[in-house]
Amino acid sequence: MPTIEVRFASGARTDCVIEPGALQRLPALCAGAGLGGTPGLLCDARVLSLHRDALLPLGEHLGDPIGRAVSEARKTLPEVEAMCEALTARGVGRDGYVVAIGGGVLTDLAGLAAALYMRGVPWVSVPSTLLAQVDAGLGGKTGANLSAGKNLIGAFHQPRLVICDPLLLATLPSRERWSGLAEVVKCALLEGGDLLQRCERDLERAAAGEAEALAPLVEGAVRLKARIVAADEREGGQRAFLNLGHTVGHALEAATGYTHFSHGEAVALGLRGMLALCDGMPERDRALRLVERIRIAAGSGLDSGQREAALQAMRRDKKVRRGGVRFVLLERIGTPVLREASAEDCARALAAALA
């Protein structure tokens, strides 16, 4: 499978390698990218447990994996500080680099640690979940949560390499695969064309873990994101379109303490809410039929306090400008737009998401 080269106006460059078995070539890929010095291998403790036989041999070149027990609830600045302390203990210097192996929480936190440590060292993202491979792994958005909301603190710090190894997905439970496919469906609605058709045809096969169905969906989503982030590195324009479904989705996560919905489940519900605001959109029924095929294990019932908390979280969304909540909507499949939403619109979107 291909290597996708992403060049940014800032001069940064990311090579995204999508290849079964790429994890075993990680030391060679790092060397080929010009990375040297002492590395720090930060690894999600769950991934280390599941893939120990594959990860421990990397220690000869990258040092022993530094296991971190991360979760959405622990996606905080104290965890970033702890990672930086671990890098210091490992002896990583300014000529070194960070390798992050794990899901989106781990790569977000480790990327932020790399951005801050020694005022910035290079890093490599090795996303181990479908959600992270198609979303968090590429684009350089690192971050941590505050009590007020998700990813409200962070930095843009482009990874030198993104390594997507489909073999890492074999151990994912069904709920995790569906969570990742929610982001793929989001990309399909932004892109249309072949990616949309593949989703409509192969969604359930991909959710069952069939590699021949999954791999083209991963590549299609990564190519879309690569094209968008290369043109808009710091979310000054079209990169905001990647937040389709996320205004409601992030609000649902915050309102339920990041413990009830997976990120993909929240995005899937957010896509339903988004489509409720796309009045007059051609093929809205087609889009909704695809979104409604995404399986959501968590119950969508929220009490009145949680619903109000979700509405408040929308008003703190990163896309808010001058107090106005902005939604990414669709004029049609493949044509996103950014529109300001009233309080009534926010309530309507939330109601549709939870219906």
Side-chain angles (χ1 to χ4, degrees), residues 104-116:
V105 172
L106 187 285
T107 57
D108 277 5
L109 289 167
L112 182 54
L116 297 174

Side-chain angles (χ1 to χ4, degrees), residues 52-108:
R52 181 173 294 273
D53 290 345
L55 291 172
L56 289 184
L58 300 178
E60 180 181 349
H61 303 281
L62 302 177
D64 291 337
I66 303 168
R68 303 302 308 171
V70 297
S71 65
E72 195 69 52
R74 294 184 61 180
K75 191 179 178 183
T76 60
L77 280 177
E79 175 58 30
V80 175
E81 182 180 6
M83 287 181 171
C84 290
E85 294 284 6
L87 295 175
T88 301
R90 180 56 55 88
V92 178
R94 295 200 72 176
D95 61 343
Y97 60 100
V98 172
V99 178
I101 304 179
V105 172
L106 187 285
T107 57
D108 277 5

